[in-house]
Amino acid sequence: MFKAKFKNIIKKILYKKDKNVFVNKNGTEFEVNNWILSEFVVREIIPIVKFHPFPLNELMLMSAAVCFIKPTYIFEWGTHFGKSARIFYETAHYFNIQTEIHSIDLPENIEHNEHPHKERGKFVKHIKKVHLHLGDGMDTSLGILKESKNEKIIPLFFLDGDHSYESVKRELNGIFDQYPQSNILIHDTFLQSEKSGYNIGPYEAIEEFLKDKKDKFTLIDTKTGLPGMTLLLNKKI
């Protein structure tokens, strides 16, 4: 028992946190240092949130987005007991990125198959820097931004929860109409053949959204299997 504790102490001493993730903004492509980010995800994120509902490649994309974009605001809603908010918080905290994080869930009296009820925000409710809200995710987020006195608004939205074509379409268009400088992460975007029976609503909503906006966003996504995640990276950042 003592030996195990001693080994852990030594590991912590030897493990030096490199908080300077290499982000290359001189090139034309999205680029972060995947070695530094991999070590961060394995050592700091997985022990907290495990691999569900976000597998390793999606954890990498979520943390990479925060490091590259350096958003002034992060909004997420309908997520797995606040896991995504915790991932964003740990990334911003570790790499010293100044951002406000807002996590939104439906009110208690509204029924939904993914409503967390008593487990709402359990991964972040003890963290004062993560602000918890009740309400419609998009409407609440846009309301917070309208009241912001921050001169520089660089939002990162994370869409999760109800993944119907209609809801994702509404949220993408609603966000862009108000804040066209936004960056948007969307979960459950993997596309498989029709026979699979998978929900491809989010994918279809993204395709339609980008029809006349391909010059405004760079699309980065995970395509190896379920559940899938897509980043719409704003070309103006």
Side-chain angles (χ1 to χ4, degrees):
M1 187 74 174
F2 175 77
K3 282 186 177 180
K5 286 184 178 180
F6 182 72
K7 283 182 179 179
N8 286 333
I9 293 170
I10 294 299
K11 280 182 182 178
K12 286 180 180 178
I13 293 172
L14 293 176
Y15 170 46
K16 294 179 180 179
K17 295 181 178 180
D18 187 343
K19 297 194 175 185
N20 298 309
V21 167
F22 173 69
V23 173
N24 184 5
K25 290 199 174 181
N26 295 320
T28 59
E29 305 302 320
F30 179 93
E31 182 183 353
V32 295
N33 187 313
N34 282 318
W35 287 285
I36 293 174
L37 213 56
S38 294
E39 187 169 32
F40 162 71
V41 168
V42 170
R43 289 183 180 271
E44 305 291 335
I45 297 295
I46 289 174
I48 299 170
V49 302
K50 310 302 180 191
F51 300 96
H52 189 274
F54 311 115
L56 194 54
N57 58 345
E58 295 178 16
L59 293 174
M60 288 287 290
L61 181 55
M62 293 169 79
S63 53
V66 175
C67 291
F68 188 87
I69 296 165
K70 291 182 171 55
T72 54
Y73 293 89
I74 300 175
F75 298 98
E76 61 87 35
W77 56 85
T79 59
H80 196 70
F81 312 131
K83 277 192 177 183
S84 56
R86 183 64 180 270
I87 293 161
F88 295 137
Y89 167 77
E90 294 294 340
T91 305
H93 177 71
Y94 186 91
F95 294 109
N96 196 28
I97 296 165
Q98 302 305 310
T99 184
E100 269 190 36
I101 301 173
H102 297 267
S103 180
I104 304 143
D105 272 302
L106 291 171
E108 195 62 33
N109 62 339
I110 296 179
E111 283 302 321
H112 189 279
N113 62 336
E114 294 188 9
H115 200 304
H117 294 292
K118 291 182 180 179
E119 294 193 285
R120 180 177 75 90
K122 73 176 184 178
F123 281 87
V124 290
K125 60 185 177 183
H126 61 289
I127 300 174
K128 292 181 180 179
K129 289 189 176 181
V130 177
H131 307 280
L132 299 177
H133 307 270
L134 292 177
D136 176 84
M138 185 188 75
D139 292 341
T140 303
S141 300
L142 296 179
I144 292 167
L145 285 180
K146 283 179 182 177
E147 294 177 3
S148 171
K149 295 179 181 178
N150 193 336
E151 292 181 3
K152 191 175 184 182
I153 294 179
I154 305 172
L156 172 61
F157 292 87
F158 184 61
L159 312 187
D160 204 353
D162 181 4
H163 296 107
S164 68
Y165 164 81
E166 291 79 11
S167 68
V168 177
K169 179 182 176 181
R170 168 187 174 263
E171 290 167 351
L172 289 175
N173 286 314
I175 290 167
F176 183 80
D177 287 346
Q178 295 294 318
Y179 292 92
Q181 74 270 37
S182 296
N183 302 273
I184 310 171
L185 274 164
I186 309 102
H187 197 217
D188 287 343
T189 57
F190 181 61
L191 175 67
Q192 184 51 281
S193 60
E194 190 176 341
K195 289 182 180 179
S196 68
Y198 292 172
N199 172 22
I200 61 170
Y203 172 84
E204 291 178 334
I206 293 168
E207 286 290 293
E208 182 170 318
F209 174 73
L210 288 177
K211 274 183 181 177
D212 60 348
K213 301 179 186 68
K214 288 186 178 179
D215 61 327
K216 300 183 184 336
F217 293 97
T218 299
L219 188 147
I220 302 163
D221 58 11
T222 61
K223 291 185 174 180
T224 56
L226 288 175
M229 186 177 290
T230 298
L231 170 63
L232 299 181
L233 179 68
N234 201 298
K235 290 186 178 180
K236 287 187 177 181
I237 68 165

